[in-house]
Amino acid sequence: RDAILAVLRRVLPQSGLVLEIASGTGQHAAYFSAALAGLTWQPSDPDAAARESIAGWAEHAGLANVLAPLVLDVRQQPWGIEAAQAVVCINMIHIAPWSAAEALFAGAGRLLPAGGVLYLYGPYRRNGEHTAPSNAAFDAQLRSANADWGVRNMEDVAALGEAEGFRMDEPIPMPANNFSLVFRK
């Protein structure tokens, strides 16, 4: 989380609303919003248990800049939010069908202003090849659980972003064979 926070400090605006897609337990929302006090954090998740956990983390931390979590599945419209200055999505597109990645970019394109940031974090293949044996094993594990899941090819994700009006910065290598991908509208 510290490595992700270091990138977020560089790429997110100083103030405004950040929509976090697939917030999971809410640990990231609590940690990042505490460190980025000028931003209002809007967590979201389609899972009721996850939203309960998100609310618990925010309440426990006493954070005034974390909003109540939204029920949000990127593939279903409307998202329940009209605009944001940035969208953050950590470890989702490989644990979801490709249609979720498509919907993520389309939805972020509708929400974000010109210059808005879409931040993605997770494992990626480069030019069709895994970047580490552990990522190849993780990809096989994901695909055995659901054939629609898997470690995505970074170039395919970049092309998807470009088709929705985003430009991808240089990928940022991260710990544990992951990458930060920063897209700007």
Side-chain angles (χ1 to χ4, degrees):
R1 67 184 186 172
D2 289 323
I4 295 171
L5 177 60
V7 175
L8 294 179
R9 283 188 194 280
R10 290 195 322 260
V11 303
L12 293 182
Q14 295 296 308
S15 62
L17 182 69
V18 175
L19 171 62
E20 182 182 15
I21 300 291
S23 299
T25 65
Q27 292 179 52
H28 283 140
Y31 188 73
F32 299 146
S33 62
L36 303 167
L39 294 168
T40 300
W41 208 264
Q42 175 61 76
S44 70
D45 206 279
D47 181 72
R51 290 190 307 276
E52 186 176 319
S53 178
I54 294 163
W57 274 93
E59 182 180 338
H60 175 75
L63 299 165
N65 63 332
V66 178
L67 302 176
L70 291 175
V71 178
L72 196 155
D73 178 329
V74 293
R75 296 171 297 168
Q76 297 177 357
Q77 293 295 320
W79 279 8
I81 184 171
E82 297 297 319
Q85 283 63 54
V87 175
V88 170
C89 184
I90 297 170
N91 288 326
M92 184 200 78
I93 68 170
H94 57 280
I95 309 175
W98 183 247
S99 62
E102 294 169 329
L104 172 65
F105 276 97
R110 287 189 297 274
L111 286 181
L112 294 173
V117 170
L118 169 58
Y119 171 85
L120 302 180
Y121 173 88
Y124 295 92
R125 293 183 312 222
R126 304 283 315 261
N127 299 308
E129 300 293 325
H130 288 288
T131 60
S134 60
N135 282 3
F138 183 49
D139 186 44
Q141 177 188 4
L142 289 171
R143 291 177 190 280
S144 71
N146 186 319
D148 292 332
W149 296 0
V151 175
R152 306 301 179 191
N153 191 35
M154 189 182 298
E155 292 77 15
D156 294 342
V157 175
L160 184 57
E162 188 174 312
E164 291 292 339
F166 288 91
R167 173 186 48 81
M168 187 177 94
D169 293 352
E170 281 297 311
I172 302 165
M174 300 293 283
N177 304 308
N178 289 306
F179 287 90
S180 285
L181 304 184
V182 178
F183 293 86
R184 299 180 192 275
K185 186 172 173 193

